[in-house]
Amino acid sequence: MTQDEIENAGWMEMSKYPPETQLNFTPPVPRYSVSDVVYRLKDGIMERNLALDRRKYENHSIVILTPIHNSERHLVQFGELISGLDYPKSKISVVFGEDSSKDETLTMADHVLKALKKEGFRRTEVHHFNITGQVGDGWENKHRRISQYRRRRHLANARNLLMKAGLKDEEYALWIDVDIGYLPSDLIQQMIFTNKDVVTPCCLYRKQNQIRIYDKNTWRETKISLSEQEKLPKNAVIVEGYGPTTRIFLPHLQGEGRAVPLDGVGGCSLLVRAECHRKGLDFPETPYRRHIETEGLAKKATDLGFTVYGLPFLHVFHR
């Protein structure tokens, strides 16, 4: 990125504040994101924006819904992360949706769920879905731009099947990716605190001594991005992360405060009020306002009158 691009977007002076810097101020909100860098902030700033009496937000039943496919190597750590959440276990159910795995995913999932049940979790289940059309394993295969429509359509299908099979009488559905690397212990309370219908934290990753945005599906539209979309065919599918954007990614909205409205969300860690799912909020499997899967869900949520928000100071980390 050039200095002109940074200045045009109203972003940080990166020559003055390199990515490794810990800031003693909250960065300004850019007109659009020109970088995937997330600056570390001084502890006092983070504490002010995450202060919470978590015990006030522990009276709701939750079902954690997690799609799994060839996930044998991730499941033990996933179980440990879920066990580490500081939320009453008797109010949390954990349901996996397994999709045509070729390894020992089903066996390991059963082992992890039995361990969680012994710890006092409310309900633990695994459902098997034999869906065809899975994009091949491996990071490069899954993340090629040309594969995204097929991949995201498949993910939407898997999520919708899991939602129908796994959501019972709970008040909230919490979607968490099985290959997550870190969850704050008060994740659930922080998201319930917002009192919004669809809520997501920042999903990040560490690159050497820097913090970068992992989930670029979580964003806010700008006048420029909306204008650009009008030029596209109605059945086009827009995907982020494959070049410059004219949107604002969630971590770059810290200057607006603790909870901010969004137009797109990812599925790394996503809380949905269960009543919204029951009223028809699903994951579009075909283009919905030029978006699909989780981003399509966010667009559909807005059209249905539901609130979509992000927490720019609440961080989860992907592997």
Side-chain angles (χ1 to χ4, degrees), residues 73-74 134-152 155 177 179 203 205 213-217 239-243 268 293 318-319:
R73 65 191 184 280
H74 299 308
Q134 178 70 259
V135 173
D137 286 325
W139 195 93
E140 288 187 3
N141 280 335
K142 290 192 294 185
H143 292 279
R144 289 186 304 166
R145 186 168 192 167
I146 197 173
S147 303
Q148 290 316 294
Y149 177 70
R150 178 182 163 199
R151 173 175 174 264
R152 300 289 297 278
L155 285 170
D177 283 352
D179 50 357
C203 185
Y205 74 103
I213 300 171
Y214 183 88
D215 196 340
K216 294 179 180 176
N217 303 330
V239 292
E240 289 288 352
Y242 295 89
C268 181
E293 203 227 344
H318 209 275
R319 288 174 181 265

Side-chain angles (χ1 to χ4, degrees), residues 14-125:
M14 297 190 73
S15 58
K16 184 177 181 181
Y17 302 104
E20 301 83 0
T21 305
Q22 188 178 40
L23 304 179
N24 60 3
F25 61 92
T26 303
V29 176
R31 287 184 284 277
Y32 52 88
S33 292
V34 293
S35 169
D36 65 353
V37 167
V38 179
Y39 283 95
R40 295 178 177 87
L41 306 183
K42 294 288 187 180
D43 291 344
I45 298 174
M46 297 298 291
E47 289 167 4
R48 285 195 300 275
N49 286 280
L50 293 172
L52 187 71
D53 182 354
R54 63 180 69 180
R55 302 307 171 204
K56 292 182 178 180
Y57 304 95
E58 296 181 345
N59 298 318
H60 304 277
S61 56
I62 310 289
V63 59
I64 294 175
L65 299 174
T66 298
I68 54 177
H69 168 76
N70 288 349
S71 303
E72 176 186 1
R73 65 191 184 280
H74 299 308
L75 280 162
V76 170
Q77 184 182 7
F78 180 85
E80 292 170 351
L81 289 171
I82 298 306
S83 179
L85 292 172
D86 183 21
Y87 195 88
K89 292 178 171 57
S90 62
K91 294 184 180 297
I92 303 178
S93 299
V94 183
V95 182
F96 292 137
E98 188 277 329
D99 172 16
S100 305
S101 297
K102 297 177 182 178
D103 61 3
E104 296 301 314
T105 289
L106 268 175
T107 301
M108 185 59 69
D110 185 61
H111 170 76
V112 168
L113 291 176
K114 284 179 179 177
L116 291 175
K117 187 67 175 177
K118 286 181 180 179
E119 290 184 26
F121 281 81
R122 180 180 183 227
R123 176 169 61 93
T124 59
E125 299 172 359

Side-chain angles (χ1 to χ4, degrees), residues 177-286:
D177 283 352
V178 69
D179 50 357
I180 199 76
Y182 165 79
L183 297 171
S185 62
D186 61 348
L187 174 73
I188 296 175
Q189 294 94 326
Q190 290 283 350
M191 292 198 285
I192 289 177
F193 163 79
T194 64
N195 195 29
K196 304 301 181 184
D197 298 315
V198 179
V199 185
T200 185
C202 297
C203 185
L204 312 173
Y205 74 103
R206 292 183 175 89
K207 182 178 181 180
Q208 298 174 342
N209 60 342
Q210 299 176 9
I211 296 177
R212 301 273 181 162
I213 300 171
Y214 183 88
D215 196 340
K216 294 179 180 176
N217 303 330
T218 304
W219 36 256
R220 180 188 294 169
E221 299 281 21
T222 65
K223 290 182 179 179
I224 305 172
S225 66
L226 291 172
S227 175
E228 289 176 343
Q229 288 173 45
E230 290 302 314
K231 303 172 186 176
L232 300 175
K234 295 292 185 181
N235 63 346
V237 174
I238 301 169
V239 292
E240 289 288 352
Y242 295 89
T245 186
T246 51
R247 291 162 163 164
I248 310 173
F249 294 131
L250 173 58
H252 298 155
L253 290 165
Q254 289 176 331
E256 291 188 4
R258 182 169 183 161
V260 299
L262 294 175
D263 298 298
V265 297
C268 181
S269 180
L270 179 67
L271 186 75
V272 180
R273 202 184 300 272
E275 192 62 21
C276 299
H277 278 324
R278 296 185 184 107
K279 289 181 177 179
L281 181 60
D282 60 3
F283 298 88
E285 299 173 28
T286 55

